[in-house]
C-alpha cells in the first residue's frame, strides 16, 4: 500500500469541522455506531467515569461532540460540574450548558479543573502543542487529562476497502487514500506529544475486532466522511456503493466482514520537569 497523501489541513480546517463535518451529530454517530459490532466491547464512557473516581469539582469535556460522554458523566457523577465544549455550535445544540470553545485557547481560568477530557479530537487541532499546554494549564494540582485516539494500525481493512473500491471506480488497481482523521495524533505518537507537558502518562489499549454480516454499518462509516468528499480524488458516492458491493461479496464468501481495531485512552497527570 502506498504512502498516504498529506491531509493535515483538511482534518484541522475549523470552518469545515464546525459545518460539514460536525455541524450536526449525524456523521459522528455513524462512526460511533460501528463499534456496536466490536468484540470485546469496550465501554469508553464507563472507563472514563472509572478514571474520574478520585476527581471532584469541575470537569471539561473539550471537543465533546454529540455529548455521549457528557451524558454518561452527568448520570453517573452528578456531583461533578461537567462543562461541555466544542468548536461546532451546531453539534452542541442538544447539550445543556454547552459552550463553543477551542482547545487551543480555553475560556477557563488557570488551575480550576479536576479533569479535562480530550477524546478523539486532538487530531483535529492545528497546534497540538498549544492544545496540550492549555489542557495542563486549566488543571488543578493533582488534576488529570484523559485523552483518546486510535492506533496507526486501526481499521486498516476499511482503508484497503476504500482504496480498492475507488480503484474499481477509476479503472485502476488501487485508488487514492481517503482522509485519515486520526493520522496526525495516533496511539503511537500521542505519548511524545503529551509528554512535552505531562510528567506521567498511562495508556489503556482497547483492541478488538468488528464483525458484521450486513454491509450497512460499514457503508455508514465510510459515508460519514462526506465532509471531505470533494477532496478524496474519486467520485464519492460511486465509491461508497462499490464498497458496499465489495463488503457484500466478502460476507457471501466468508460469512462476515471483519475489521481489526486498536484504540486507546491516555491518562495524563503531573507536570514535566
Amino acid at each position: 500500500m502506498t504512502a498516504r497523501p498529506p491531509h493535515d489541513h483538511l482534518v484541522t480546517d475549523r470552518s469545515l469541522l464546525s459545518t460539514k463535518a460536525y455541524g450536526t451529530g449525524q456523521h459522528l454517530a455513524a462512526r460511533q455506531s460501528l463499534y456496536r459490532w466490536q468484540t470485546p466491547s469496550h465501554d469508553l464512557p464507563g472507563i472514563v467515569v472509572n478514571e474520574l473516581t478520585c476527581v471532584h469539582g469541575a470537569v471539561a469535556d473539550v471537543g465533546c461532540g454529540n455529548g455521549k460522554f457528557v451524558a454518561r458523566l452527568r448520570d453517573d457523577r452528578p456531583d461533578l460540574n461537567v462543562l461541555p465544549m466544542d468548536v461546532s455550535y451546531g453539534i452542541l445544540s442538544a447539550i445543556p450548558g454547552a459552550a463553543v470553545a477551542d482547545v487551543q485557547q480555553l475560556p477557563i481560568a488557570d488551575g480550576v479543573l479536576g479533569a479535562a477530557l480530550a477524546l478523539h479530537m486532538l487530531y483535529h487541532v492545528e497546534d497540538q502543542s498549544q492544545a496540550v499546554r492549555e489542557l495542563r494549564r486549566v488543571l488543578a494540582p493533582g488534576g488529570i487529562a484523559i485523552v483518546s485516539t486510535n492506533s496507526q494500525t486501526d481499521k486498516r481493512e476499511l482503508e484497503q476497502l476504500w482504496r480498492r473500491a475507488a480503484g474499481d471506480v477509476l479503472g485502476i488497481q488501487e485508488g487514492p487514500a481517503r482522509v485519515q482523521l486520526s493520522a496526525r495524533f495516533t496511539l503511537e505518537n500521542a505519548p511524545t506529544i503529551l509528554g512535552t507537558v505531562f510528567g506521567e502518562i498511562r495508556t489503556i489499549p482497547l483492541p478488538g475486532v468488528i464483525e458484521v454480516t450486513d454491509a450497512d454499518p460499514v457503508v455508514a462509516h465510510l459515508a460519514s466522511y462526506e465532509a471531505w468528499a470533494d477532496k478524496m480524488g474519486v467520485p464519492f458516492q460511486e465509491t461508497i456503493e462499490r464498497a458496499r458491493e465489495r463488503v457484500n461479496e466478502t460476507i457471501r464468501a466468508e460469512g462476515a466482514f471483519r475489521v481489526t481495531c486498536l484504540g486507546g485512552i491516555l491518562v495524563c497527570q503531573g507536570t514535566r520537569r
Side-chain angles (χ1 to χ4, degrees):
M1 192 176 293
T2 57
R4 295 186 180 113
H7 286 132
D8 282 14
H9 65 291
L10 302 178
V11 175
T12 61
D13 184 327
R14 181 165 178 172
S15 175
L16 185 149
L17 293 175
S18 61
T19 54
K20 293 180 180 179
Y22 300 108
T24 71
Q26 174 188 354
H27 294 318
L28 177 58
R31 290 196 287 278
Q32 291 170 336
S33 68
L34 185 61
Y35 291 97
R36 288 162 51 194
W37 287 269
Q38 178 176 296
T39 304
S41 177
H42 299 294
D43 178 11
L44 268 68
I47 294 172
V48 171
V49 169
N50 184 63
E51 292 295 330
L52 296 176
T53 298
C54 297
V55 170
H56 302 282
V59 174
D61 186 351
V62 184
C64 67
N66 55 14
K68 177 179 179 180
F69 288 84
V70 172
R72 181 68 173 271
L73 279 173
R74 286 175 168 170
D75 285 344
D76 289 8
R77 289 290 308 274
D79 58 303
L80 294 175
N81 178 18
V82 182
L83 310 173
M85 300 179 175
D86 202 281
V87 296
S88 174
Y89 173 80
I91 205 169
L92 296 174
S93 60
I95 305 174
V100 176
D102 189 329
V103 68
Q104 297 167 107
Q105 190 174 5
L106 291 171
I108 301 173
D110 294 359
V112 299
L113 298 182
L117 313 181
L119 305 170
H120 278 81
M121 55 77 66
L122 282 175
Y123 39 74
H124 284 311
V125 178
E126 184 173 358
D127 189 340
Q128 293 172 345
S129 296
Q130 172 62 17
V132 171
R133 286 194 295 271
E134 278 290 277
L135 291 174
R136 182 65 191 91
R137 177 185 67 79
V138 298
L139 291 178
I144 62 173
I146 301 180
V147 177
S148 65
T149 190
N150 294 322
S151 167
Q152 61 190 13
T153 66
D154 182 66
K155 301 185 193 70
R156 282 187 169 173
E157 295 87 348
L158 293 187
E159 171 70 5
Q160 185 178 60
L161 171 65
W162 178 266
R163 297 195 70 164
R164 288 181 175 175
D168 292 345
V169 170
L170 297 174
I172 57 179
Q173 185 173 356
E174 277 194 343
R178 63 188 182 131
V179 172
Q180 296 291 303
L181 297 185
S182 57
R184 297 182 65 250
F185 185 81
T186 66
L187 207 55
E188 290 75 19
N189 66 21
T192 299
I193 297 169
L194 295 165
T196 60
V197 172
F198 292 99
E200 300 176 33
I201 301 169
R202 174 168 52 90
T203 301
I204 304 170
L206 301 171
V209 176
I210 291 170
E211 185 172 296
V212 299
T213 55
D214 185 306
D216 284 351
V218 172
V219 172
H221 181 95
L222 294 178
S224 73
Y225 284 70
E226 183 182 11
W228 297 276
D230 60 343
K231 310 296 183 182
M232 298 286 204
V234 65
F236 187 73
Q237 291 302 328
E238 289 181 46
T239 303
I240 292 291
E241 289 311 311
R242 179 55 187 143
R244 180 190 296 276
E245 292 170 358
R246 277 187 164 269
V247 172
N248 282 327
E249 289 166 6
T250 300
I251 292 171
R252 285 194 294 270
E254 302 178 14
F257 184 85
R258 298 173 181 86
V259 180
T260 306
C261 304
L262 179 55
I265 291 175
L266 302 101
V267 182
C268 315
Q269 60 186 132
T271 303
R272 183 176 177 84
R273 294 172 184 252

